[in-house]
Amino acid sequence: MSIRFNKINCSIYILILAASVVFASFYGGLLPFVVLYGVVLFVPVSALFIVLNFHYISVYQELSDNHVVKGETHDFLMSFENTGIFPVHDMMLILHSDRCEFEGIRDGECVSLDPRTKLKLAVKLRCIYGGTYYIGIRSIGFKDAFGVFTIMFNVPYMFRAIVSPKITDAADPYMDIENMVNSVGSKSDIKYEEIPGNDMRTYYAGDPINRINWKVSARLGEPVVRIPDKQDTRKITLIIEPSYVPERVQDTEFLKRRDSFLEFAVSAAWYFARRGVPVYIIYPSGKITEKQIDSYESFQEFYKDVSGGASYRSEDEKDRMHALTQERRKPGCGDGTRVIILEDEWPGKDFCIVAD
Amino acid sequence: MSGRARIFVLLPIEAERILLIFAAASACAVMYQLIYRDIPDHFVNRCTWSCAGFAFVYTLLKYVFRAFADERLSAVAVSMPAILSALLLRNSDIEGFSAGMMGLLVYLFWLFFNIRADSRYPQIMICIMADAVMTYKYFNSLSSDPYDFTGRMVYASLFILTAYHLRLLAGSKGMRKYPFVYFLVLLFFLMLFPARKEPIDWEPVLDAGRKAANKTKEMVWSVSYYIEDLFGTSYYTGYNSLAQNGDTVRSSDRTEIALATRDNTTFKYTDEQTGRMYKRRRTVYLRGGEIPGHDELLDTVFSMYAHGVDPATASLFARNAELNVTYEYLKTEDVIVPAGLLSLRDKNGSMIRENDGRRHKKGYSYHAAYMDLDFGSPYLEGIAADEARSLTKDEVSYKKLASYAYETFGIRLNEIVNEDEFSSWQEGNDLTEYTGTEGASDRMRDLARKITKDCLSDYEKCKAIEAYLRQYEYSTATGRSNEGDTGSAEGMSAVADDFLFETGRGYCVHYASAMVMLLRLNGIPARFMSGYRYVFPFEQQKVYEVKAASAHAWPEAYVKGFGWIGFEPTSGMSTAVDRTWHRKPAAVKAAYEAPLYSEKANVSVPVHVDAERDTDTGKEHPADIAGIVKMAAMIILSVVLMAVLLIFGTFLFKAVRYRMADPNHRLLSDVSDITVIIRSTVGQPFEDRGIMSDYDEYIPDKYRDEIKRAFDISNRIRFRCIRCIENAEKVTAEEEVFVRELRNKMINEYSFTFGLLFS
């Protein structure tokens, strides 16, 4: 809760209060004292009225889609219910406009509700950053009758959205420089290379002609094809180390940085995924997770995990992650090529390190 | 919006209207009272409440009648009971008729504006006018302003209405009105606080401030008092400054000495002109310097003895008194003693006979016994003025005078004065040091002669000079030109000359110096005394603080045949005559036993009460209560009558219209009734376009076919017959009977006869 005073109106109020005190100091009777009491009671009664208004107002927020993607427009429903017997006058809606763009409502817009009524506002919302953060209405404000002061209350239940970062080509320049796509790629359990292997099996309709081992087929009298061998090129590992600042997770500056970091991390993963190169990724999702991305499904799983937080469940987890990152930075650690993305270094030149 | 929510919305709206009517009615009644002054307050109150009561009843009726008609018609219907009740009560001895009519007018006025437009200006204008009237009333009849519930309610209502309309005026166009319910809450709290007749009493706050300031001041004084010796500076006090040169002084409120006494510090006297008895505060002169010798006491007692003053006469102008003197913020070698000192004893009870030469500081105290003489008493003045004594000092013995002093004044002279001192006194006083006139100018000598040219005795001369000097203006800002020191004749001459002929204004030092010099120029020994002049407060206290501002200087003259007498030439101070005890031989006892004048004032004085205004006391007369009950009964009766009239009128109107209608319209009316019955069974609103499909899901199964047929007939008539389409099949008698029977059947089943009235 916070209170803001309007300087001009406050000064006028103090002047009127002083005048009423002077009036009642020189004259007795009903008129001066009613005026004095009225002016004096104005502030506490207004505060009481506002507190009662806040007590009986319920604010609900609802997002139409479960999956929120940065920059996409979604339907957002705000519902207000006044369960009290006093009307709510010009309740000011303070929005999270630093991280969302709204259509159909502006920041600071006022709504009024009669006693025991509901109001629904359907608006469009677009999240500016990727990550997990509060969206919609941040706080509600009530003014007294003459605008002397405004009391702001935080909305009891804020809407927390998990916003997926955009997949862009932001990571391409870094990955291209190393020309890793031609020289790396770990062995996948499900992904097969176009290399004819030594194992054979009977030909099934649909097998490529060029896989038929003619010699063996001739010998056995039925078409036999070679089974393609699994890829077994050089391994690449993507290590993502986000920051650990729980107290700043709702800061706009932090959200900006997190958004850029996530976008880079996802784009880097996508860089390999779209080329069909299997890649190991180590990232925190509560605890430290190691995953191989070698299919669309595994990429989606990673994408969802990262959007949902890329965070640590404890400070110890962060320390472990950091230790792991430091270990993998060392040359010859035997884990192939390591691409290390450090949020703490963002946007410095060391935020993306390639160790070989 | 649910019914309950609607009530919460409508209540403040109606409350605002009723309050505005209440305030406007009060203003009208007050205006009426201001024009015709003989209108009693209770009329105003009753008119106000009656109007509000009528407005409340009309509001309820409005909602009752709106079940039958629209707002305009309901407004007209509302006025009927009011007119009826007003006419019934026109000959009543109470103000029902006036109040009822006024309430009706105000309400109709309100309804007119309320219906006419949503403009807020008429309401604002009403509010401003009511404000103006009540403010005028307040400033013109403060004393008779009613402090009862009605008065508070009127002013509080006006306050919140004014605030509410100010908010409307201050708001931008199209802005929503601030909820009036907030102002109602404010009104509720306003009514909890009682108004005071008197303005705010800031005295407790000021007292607290003064106490805090005094504490701070005392701390500063204490610090400066105790550390001044460290810096070798001389501590400044009001008393010490009196020995200065008579330059401009600044007043100070430091406590320099504290007095304590068990004596009564006030006395009572009867004013000769009015015959009333007054209470007056005593004044004590405290002189500083050496402890005076006993010659002065012996002179006084001997003078009384020589004039043959008996104990009864002595009691008219003399009394024995005592004082405890304690030094506060004062550092001096002097001893401060009351004039007429008899004896001085320290804390241990030992007699103090002379200054010990030490510098006395805070905490130094002693007990002084003194003889308080009323020099304003005509008896004592007579003695002082009578210089001719039949006896000389040599003719009285120590024992005889001691015996006389004890018998006449209760003074044990033998304990105060020993025989050697008595013998020394008999040898005579050396007064030469009090006769010096060095530095006196010629114009001062001329003035001295001029003032006393008609005086016969020394005492008369003293009084003449005192009276002359009291014409000078008192001022502490002298802007004097001559240097002078009151410690010498030259110094006093300089100060006096400057005061008498140059500046023409001064303070006690100037007056005292001038009088001393004028007395000496007339051959009367005189001396400059400095110390304190303290006037005791009315309230008895344990300790009396003598401030620096009480430091004072005054002259004393040695009057032949009497001794030293103090005078008060300072124009700002009261003379001995002004302070006299006013004792007279016959009145002494009566005066002291008579009740105080202030006590007399407390005796209740019968207040004239006009018999015709007996009802103003606020008690309801039985006849009034009966009248109010009668009026209320009439109103209720009229309301019931109006409701019955409306119900039967509607019923009759419908019945007549049904009978007069053609078969087509009769059938349509029956179908309309059927739809009303169906709607009532549903219990919730639904889209009703008057077609079968809207009712389909709500129609009871057992009537489904019949109702479907009724709707078909109704649609045929509505869209073909009534629009006069050619070859349209008109309603048959069988169809008409079928629909009517269906309607009646449904009415009987659902008991819905009454509900159709409101359809």
Side-chain angles (χ1 to χ4, degrees), chain B residues 593-637:
Chain B
E593 288 178 355
L596 289 175
Y597 176 70
S598 57
E599 287 170 359
K600 273 186 181 176
N602 289 334
V603 175
S604 60
V605 180
V607 179
H608 173 70
V609 179
D610 189 349
E612 288 180 5
R613 296 171 70 98
D614 188 33
T615 51
D616 291 358
T617 53
K619 282 186 179 176
E620 292 290 348
H621 197 276
D624 294 348
I625 296 168
I628 289 168
V629 170
K630 187 180 168 188
M631 187 170 69
M634 289 295 178
I635 291 166
I636 292 166
L637 193 68

Side-chain angles (χ1 to χ4, degrees), chain A residues 24-25 28-30 32 37 46 145, chain B residues 138 146 167 182 194 196-197 200 202:
Chain A
S25 299
L30 286 169
Y37 292 146
S46 295
Chain B
Y138 170 76
R167 169 68 172 72
Y182 160 76
R196 288 158 49 96
K197 281 187 180 179
I200 298 174
W202 291 104

Side-chain angles (χ1 to χ4, degrees), chain B residues 221-239:
Chain B
W221 290 347
S222 298
V223 170
S224 63
Y225 181 81
Y226 287 113
I227 66 169
E228 60 100 3
D229 287 338
L230 297 175
F231 299 100
T233 53
S234 176
Y235 190 72
Y236 173 85
T237 67
Y239 166 71

Side-chain angles (χ1 to χ4, degrees), chain B residues 467-523:
Chain B
Y468 176 79
L469 290 176
R470 288 181 68 81
Q471 301 171 85
Y472 281 77
E473 182 192 348
Y474 181 90
S475 171
T476 51
T478 58
R480 68 183 297 275
S481 53
N482 286 338
E483 292 291 321
D485 182 0
T486 54
S488 65
E490 291 90 341
M492 282 193 286
S493 294
V495 172
D497 194 78
D498 203 38
F499 169 63
L500 291 169
F501 306 111
E502 299 299 333
T503 62
R505 63 175 187 268
Y507 52 94
C508 58
V509 171
H510 302 86
Y511 288 95
S513 302
M515 184 155 177
V516 167
M517 290 315 296
L518 291 172
L519 286 169
R520 288 185 183 179
L521 290 171
N522 275 289

Side-chain angles (χ1 to χ4, degrees), chain B residues 265-556:
Chain B
T265 54
T266 58
F267 62 88
K268 300 151 202 169
Y269 79 97
T270 306
D271 187 83
E272 289 179 356
Q273 289 182 344
T274 63
R276 285 179 173 173
M277 188 156 282
Y278 289 103
K279 196 174 186 181
R280 180 170 276 182
R281 300 181 291 170
R282 288 192 184 280
T283 304
V284 62
Y285 280 78
L286 299 155
R287 49 185 276 187
E290 293 289 323
I291 297 172
H294 299 301
D295 290 358
E296 293 175 27
L297 172 63
L298 291 169
D299 279 342
T300 305
V301 175
F302 174 69
S303 173
M304 304 292 176
Y305 176 76
H307 284 87
V309 175
D310 56 20
T313 309
S315 68
L316 299 178
F317 52 78
R319 70 178 188 109
N320 291 333
E322 53 90 25
L323 265 182
N324 271 318
V325 181
T326 306
Y327 282 28
E328 292 295 329
Y329 294 99
L330 183 66
K331 281 181 184 174
T332 179
E333 294 169 2
D334 295 347
V335 178
I336 314 292
V337 295
L341 181 72
L342 298 174
S343 66
L344 207 60
R345 295 179 188 278
D346 61 14
K347 287 176 185 173
N348 305 320
S350 306
M351 189 80 83
I352 305 171
R353 293 189 176 276
E354 56 186 16
N355 287 19
D356 54 11
R358 288 187 301 181
R359 200 172 182 211
H360 306 303
K361 294 182 181 175
K362 193 176 179 184
Y364 177 65
S365 69
Y366 43 80
H367 178 268
Y370 66 103
M371 185 160 64
D372 189 10
L373 292 173
D374 177 15
F375 283 102
S377 167
Y379 307 101
L380 190 58
E381 279 193 307
I383 294 165
D386 182 16
E387 294 174 3
R389 282 194 307 216
S390 53
L391 287 173
T392 61
K393 290 179 182 178
D394 300 334
E395 295 174 46
V396 64
S397 68
Y398 174 75
K399 283 184 182 173
K400 200 158 191 175
L401 198 64
S403 171
Y404 173 78
Y406 183 72
E407 288 167 5
T408 311
F409 302 106
I411 301 169
R412 296 182 186 280
L413 202 63
N414 53 340
E415 291 179 6
I416 302 167
V417 184
N418 56 36
E419 286 196 42
D420 292 340
E421 287 170 331
F422 182 79
S423 303
S424 170
W425 168 73
Q426 278 183 317
E427 287 169 11
N429 302 333
D430 181 12
L431 299 172
T432 49
E433 66 171 305
Y434 306 118
T435 54
T437 56
E438 296 85 350
S441 62
D442 291 339
R443 56 183 179 178
M444 203 189 300
R445 292 174 192 279
D446 291 341
L447 180 65
R449 278 196 298 274
K450 196 175 159 188
I451 295 168
T452 59
K453 64 180 180 184
D454 298 328
C455 298
L456 301 174
S457 67
D458 283 357
Y459 185 75
E460 282 181 20
K461 287 178 183 173
C462 294
K463 295 295 283 182
I465 292 168
E466 182 191 47
Y468 176 79
L469 290 176
R470 288 181 68 81
Q471 301 171 85
Y472 281 77
E473 182 192 348
Y474 181 90
S475 171
T476 51
T478 58
R480 68 183 297 275
S481 53
N482 286 338
E483 292 291 321
D485 182 0
T486 54
S488 65
E490 291 90 341
M492 282 193 286
S493 294
V495 172
D497 194 78
D498 203 38
F499 169 63
L500 291 169
F501 306 111
E502 299 299 333
T503 62
R505 63 175 187 268
Y507 52 94
C508 58
V509 171
H510 302 86
Y511 288 95
S513 302
M515 184 155 177
V516 167
M517 290 315 296
L518 291 172
L519 286 169
R520 288 185 183 179
L521 290 171
N522 275 289
I524 302 169
R527 62 191 182 189
F528 182 95
M529 302 300 292
S530 64
Y532 299 92
R533 178 185 185 273
Y534 182 67
V535 182
F536 287 99
F538 280 112
E539 300 79 23
Q540 201 82 13
Q541 296 173 5
K542 284 184 179 176
V543 174
Y544 303 93
E545 293 181 348
V546 181
K547 311 277 185 185
S550 296
H552 188 49
W554 67 96
E556 281 189 358

Side-chain angles (χ1 to χ4, degrees), chain B residues 57-120:
Chain B
V57 174
Y58 298 157
T59 304
L60 290 180
L61 289 178
K62 186 178 76 177
Y63 284 98
V64 171
F65 294 154
R66 276 178 68 176
F68 310 103
D70 65 0
E71 194 159 5
R72 283 172 191 276
L73 278 176
S74 71
V76 175
V78 161
S79 61
M80 293 303 171
I83 292 169
L84 184 64
S85 59
L87 288 173
L88 285 170
L89 294 170
R90 67 187 185 282
N91 294 324
S92 169
D93 55 347
I94 59 170
E95 295 78 17
F97 178 73
S98 311
M101 290 308 291
M102 199 160 81
L104 177 66
L105 287 173
V106 172
Y107 190 75
L108 288 177
F109 181 75
W110 168 264
L111 275 178
F112 171 73
F113 279 107
N114 194 40
I115 294 166
R116 272 291 306 279
D118 54 355
S119 170
R120 58 201 181 187

Side-chain angles (χ1 to χ4, degrees), chain A residues 170 174 256-262 264 341-348 350-352:
Chain A
Y174 292 88
K256 277 184 192 173
R257 196 177 74 170
R258 173 59 59 96
D259 174 53
S260 304
F261 167 72
L262 291 179
F264 188 89
I341 305 168
L342 301 167
E343 188 183 10
D344 283 336
E345 301 296 334
W346 187 273
D350 289 338
F351 82 94
C352 180

Side-chain angles (χ1 to χ4, degrees), chain B residues 738-752:
Chain B
F738 163 73
V739 174
R740 190 181 305 160
E741 284 179 354
L742 175 63
R743 168 188 174 271
N744 293 339
K745 206 160 49 176
M746 290 183 77
I747 288 172
N748 289 334
E749 183 168 341
Y750 295 104
S751 306
F752 202 70

